[in-house]
Amino acid sequence: MQRFRPHRGAHGGDPGMTGSDSAPHVRVAEVLRPGMATTIQDWPGRIGYWQVGVPPSGPMDDVSFRLANIAVGNPEGAPALEATMGGPALRFDTDTWVCVTGAPAPVSIDGTRVPQWQPVLVQAGQLLDVGMVAGPGLRIYLAVAGGLHADEYLGSAATFTLGGFGGHQGRVLGAGDKLEIADNLTGTRRRILSDEQPAITSHWNIAVTVGPHSAPEFFTPADIDTVLGHDYEVHFNSDRTGVRLIGPKPEWARPDGGEAGLHPSNIHDNAYSVGSLDFTGDTPILLGPDGPSLGGFVCPVTVTSADRWKLGQLAPGATVRFVAVREAAAAPADTVTRARRAYLPAVFSTGGDTDNGILGHTTSSDGTVDVTYRRTGDDNVLVEYGEMRLDLALRARVHALHHALENHRPDGLIDLTPGVRSLQVKVDPVRLPVSALVPLLTEIEASLPAAQELVVPSRTVRLPLSWDDPATREAIERYMHGVRADAPWCPWNIEFIRRMNGLASVDDVHRIVYDAEYLVLGLGDVYLGAPVATPLDPRHRLVTTKYNPARTWTPENAVGIGGAYLCIYGMEGPGGYQFVGRTTQIWNHRHPLPAHGFEPEHPWLLRFFDRISWYPVSAEELLDLRADMAAGRGHVDITDGVFALAEHDAFLAENADDIAATRATMEAARAEERQRWSDAGEFARKESA
């Protein structure tokens, strides 16, 4: 897949060149009105960093985006503009060809209406005005001949506003911005024909494959029938991270998530796919291109890669009907031709796969652990080890498979994202279809070493922790005022953690958190190198449930516990873990500029199998430490070491009786809490729209 690289070169006779012997003029479009949430995106976006919580970003509707570029003679992936609900007004300083695609909207040049879906010439000094969406759909795309110069970050110009990188200074456009136009024409201009244009409607059919988490393990068969037979409504609280839907509450096949949390939607953290239907509690959310890479909620179906463009045009109030298709029959996403079927308003299907999302099973090389291959769309396989429980031996097997695939690197492999007991393998289905991937994974599995042989580098990383930090208190108050005031974890998450684990006082929560050493099992939960980690000593594993519904705001670097796991939030955003405090930055926002403690090659601080420990600081001290880190002069206390599973198993055996007694007390407390929830109607509660 060719990556667009903006450059200035000879224009020949194209607009913007003052003469064949002259230096090229730097062409500029001035933003007079930015439109709504207008950003620079490129396609396919920021690929290869899913395992550390960096989403691909890129256009939500890649079909309209790529066709806009084709219309003006650009490479399909050239940086262009995406706007939501309303487009921008731009003044060009040289003659420039442009094309507007996507949702229908009025487009004019100096007040004269011009059509969408075909190139139009804006002369020097003229005003191009793209108005509000005037029909079905939500997003508008504007391509400029030659493409746009934009800030590249980790290999892409796509804007990720939550992370503050890519595009134009990592943010949405503002009035007065000046966009520099590049010169990367590779084709001729042409009109996009009506049968090439995607069918944009208010009543959507969206193709999905069943899996990874289906019936009868997680959902009842009736739940899956409902998912595939009910019209969901698009909620107004939707964005590029995910499209929230309004629909029936599942019956659920399990009473709870065990160690992963009290709600039956909770699972041990695993990787997500863009387009997964993620049940965060009882709320279904279609994960978008700015969504999280890792999380602890079940996903019964996944939108096929060819139909994910539709997420970008789902406007509030629109309806969605999911249509199951066979993975092998899914349309290709590598094209914008008729073969992709985007021009068809309906999804035609003879039915989906009947395997409940399970592609196959095998056993580990020593015959002791079951391995399950789960379908996640037509471009991902989730490899899952053992039973649904927290066991570091299972994470060791994940590491062995991850390492083997990194070394083997078959053609078509895109991303490898480890979770607690799983590895998601993302592929280009044209080069490496899922039907060929599963036999390859089975073959590699048979050659892997025993988990007990695992010895990996494991640094000790000591970080400051401001206990019950004011920023986390503010987040709880916002949640109570704006989302839910009667939640069992409100008004104080730490008291809820105490109650959930049968501890005598909140001082015991404090003691356990500071005594624990947390092993990093995954990165990117939630976003930007955020670790999902668990205490090495099971006696330190405080177990809680996650917020339901989730918070809409979490302060950057808040520290929380969800299920048996600890997370440091890599940036501001939504979240569901129960707060215990706040720490310093785990992502170098100065990258590629250096910062103490961070490796110069990349912006994330932590590695898989690092061990995090805490030392106490006041809220005021933390603010000073955070300022130092932001300026690149902070200090991180890191000591090299190793983690050997055999040594850890010996520790568990030596302390087995005390561990069992402690865990039994905690589990009894959780059972009591669950009964209180049941008596109070918490499990029967239906979130209001």
Side-chain angles (χ1 to χ4, degrees):
M1 193 172 292
Q2 185 177 6
R3 170 70 67 186
F4 175 85
R5 289 283 185 264
H7 68 274
R8 298 185 184 93
H11 284 260
D14 281 339
M17 190 65 188
T18 58
S20 60
D21 297 325
S22 303
H25 171 68
V26 177
R27 300 184 293 158
V28 170
E30 182 181 1
V31 179
L32 301 186
R33 187 189 69 244
M36 299 177 66
T38 303
T39 57
I40 296 175
Q41 300 294 339
D42 68 6
W43 178 85
R46 196 166 284 105
I47 303 301
Y49 298 96
W50 202 235
Q51 67 174 324
V52 291
V54 179
S57 299
M60 280 199 79
D61 171 3
D62 76 285
V63 175
S64 295
F65 179 95
R66 293 160 69 184
L67 288 172
N69 271 319
I70 289 171
V72 295
N74 290 342
E76 291 182 16
L81 298 182
E82 174 186 271
T84 303
M85 287 298 293
L90 308 176
R91 191 179 302 281
F92 293 82
D93 70 347
T94 56
D95 294 358
T96 306
W97 288 92
V98 303
C99 180
V100 178
T101 63
V107 182
S108 63
I109 298 174
D110 278 357
T112 300
R113 287 289 293 267
V114 294
Q116 292 179 262
W117 300 100
Q118 68 183 59
V120 294
L121 179 63
V122 184
Q123 295 181 338
Q126 287 188 317
L127 178 70
L128 173 71
D129 193 321
V130 183
M132 299 294 292
V133 170
L138 186 65
R139 287 182 172 83
I140 304 162
Y141 294 90
L142 169 58
V144 175
L148 296 172
H149 279 290
D151 301 330
E152 280 208 358
Y153 188 86
L154 298 178
S156 171
T159 306
F160 180 45
T161 56
L162 293 175
F165 50 74
H168 188 77
Q169 301 174 12
R171 59 171 173 81
V172 299
L173 298 187
D177 286 341
K178 290 181 169 56
L179 307 179
E180 189 175 334
I181 301 170
D183 180 23
N184 276 268
L185 299 174
T186 60
T188 57
R189 296 183 297 273
R190 72 173 183 87
R191 176 173 170 265
I192 304 302
L193 302 177
S194 59
D195 62 357
E196 296 177 285
Q197 299 171 22
I200 296 176
T201 178
S202 295
H203 304 285
W204 293 88
N205 278 192
I206 298 183
V208 296
T209 59
V210 175
H213 309 116
S214 185
E217 295 172 275
F218 306 96
F219 294 86
T220 67
D223 287 336
I224 301 302
D225 289 343
T226 298
V227 168
L228 298 175
H230 181 85
D231 286 341
Y232 289 84
E233 181 183 344
V234 177
H235 194 280
F236 69 87
N237 188 18
S238 300
D239 56 25
R240 286 179 50 88
T241 64
V243 179
R244 184 174 174 178
L245 301 176
I246 303 168
K249 176 182 175 180
E251 297 175 1
W252 299 108
R254 309 181 299 165
D256 56 46
E259 283 183 307
L262 279 185
H263 196 275
S265 67
N266 298 155
I267 55 173
H268 296 286
D269 284 39
N270 63 200
Y272 292 136
S273 167
V274 175
S276 287
L277 182 64
D278 186 34
F279 272 83
T280 58
D282 298 317
T283 303
I285 299 175
L286 282 168
L287 298 180
D290 282 357
S293 62
L294 204 67
F297 295 105
V298 292
C299 303
V301 297
T302 305
V303 178
T304 62
S305 54
D307 258 21
R308 289 173 197 161
W309 71 269
K310 296 177 180 178
L311 274 63
Q313 298 297 351
L314 295 179
T319 61
V320 174
R321 173 67 66 98
F322 296 113
V323 180
V325 300
R326 289 181 294 109
E327 172 260 315
D334 64 330
T335 180
V336 288
T337 66
R338 287 172 58 88
R340 185 155 174 183
R341 308 171 201 159
Y343 68 96
L344 296 172
V347 173
F348 298 99
S349 173
T350 58
D353 294 288
T354 58
D355 52 16
N356 293 322
I358 305 298
L359 294 165
H361 295 275
T362 190
T363 56
S364 58
S365 56
D366 59 5
T368 61
V369 175
D370 290 332
V371 185
T372 303
Y373 301 104
R374 297 183 181 273
R375 179 188 300 105
T376 306
D378 58 323
D379 56 350
N380 289 279
V381 171
L382 186 68
V383 185
E384 200 172 73
Y385 286 92
E387 298 176 1
M388 190 70 68
R389 60 188 174 89
L390 173 54
D391 183 346
L392 295 185
L394 301 181
R395 182 60 180 86
R397 294 189 182 280
V398 170
H399 175 78
L401 178 60
H402 188 177
H403 184 70
L405 283 167
E406 285 280 15
N407 289 337
H408 186 71
R409 207 70 198 180
D411 180 54
L413 179 64
I414 304 297
D415 261 321
L416 296 169
T417 308
V420 170
R421 48 183 284 273
S422 61
L423 180 72
Q424 181 164 282
V425 184
K426 180 176 177 58
V427 296
D428 175 351
V430 174
R431 291 184 290 155
L432 182 56
V434 167
S435 59
L437 175 61
V438 172
L440 174 62
L441 292 171
T442 304
E443 178 183 342
I444 292 174
E445 186 63 43
S447 68
L448 297 181
Q452 279 64 32
E453 297 177 18
L454 177 76
V455 179
V456 294
S458 177
R459 307 177 304 171
T460 297
V461 182
R462 294 188 71 245
L463 295 174
L465 179 65
S466 168
W467 186 256
D468 198 18
D469 189 81
T472 61
R473 285 282 196 163
E474 179 186 351
I476 296 171
E477 290 174 5
R478 289 194 192 187
Y479 181 82
M480 293 178 67
H481 287 300
V483 181
R484 185 182 175 194
D486 65 342
W489 43 87
C490 294
W492 193 17
N493 291 177
I494 294 173
E495 163 58 24
F496 176 68
I497 295 171
R498 180 206 68 77
R499 195 169 72 238
M500 280 279 293
N501 290 275
L503 301 175
S505 74
V506 292
D507 291 340
D508 291 325
V509 181
H510 181 279
R511 172 183 55 79
I512 289 172
V513 169
Y514 280 101
D515 285 350
E517 196 172 41
Y518 293 87
L519 187 70
V520 175
L521 304 181
L523 294 172
D525 186 4
V526 178
Y527 296 111
L528 302 191
V532 55
T534 195
L536 281 167
D537 187 338
R539 291 168 293 191
H540 293 152
R541 287 179 190 162
L542 301 172
V543 176
T544 72
T545 196
K546 305 178 184 79
Y547 280 44
N548 178 30
R551 291 184 301 273
T552 56
W553 180 74
T554 302
E556 181 187 28
N557 307 133
V559 179
I561 297 174
Y565 304 104
L566 175 136
C567 171
I568 304 171
Y569 285 85
M571 63 184 197
E572 289 188 5
Y577 281 47
Q578 307 290 337
F579 292 125
V580 295
R582 194 183 189 201
T583 188
T584 48
Q585 292 88 332
I586 54 172
W587 188 268
N588 176 18
H589 291 283
R590 294 163 47 86
H591 183 78
L593 295 176
H596 288 294
F598 291 85
E599 297 171 81
E601 297 82 10
H602 53 71
W604 52 92
L605 174 67
L606 298 168
R607 305 173 184 170
F608 300 122
F609 294 100
D610 275 351
R611 286 167 289 168
I612 300 170
S613 61
W614 305 108
Y615 64 91
V617 296
S618 68
E620 293 75 17
E621 289 171 325
L622 180 67
L623 291 177
D624 290 340
L625 291 170
R626 289 183 57 79
D628 286 343
M629 291 290 285
R633 59 177 181 265
H635 172 73
V636 183
D637 184 359
I638 299 177
T639 305
D640 289 334
V642 297
F643 172 76
L645 185 63
E647 292 179 6
H648 178 68
D649 286 346
F651 167 82
L652 296 180
E654 182 180 348
N655 295 277
D657 291 344
D658 192 41
I659 289 171
T662 302
R663 302 305 299 166
T665 299
M666 291 180 170
E667 287 165 10
R670 286 196 295 278
E672 292 175 6
E673 181 69 14
R674 190 184 188 284
Q675 187 59 52
R676 282 193 291 269
W677 282 29
S678 180
D679 294 343
E682 178 69 18
F683 295 112
R685 177 183 176 276
K686 180 173 177 61
E687 180 191 352
S688 64

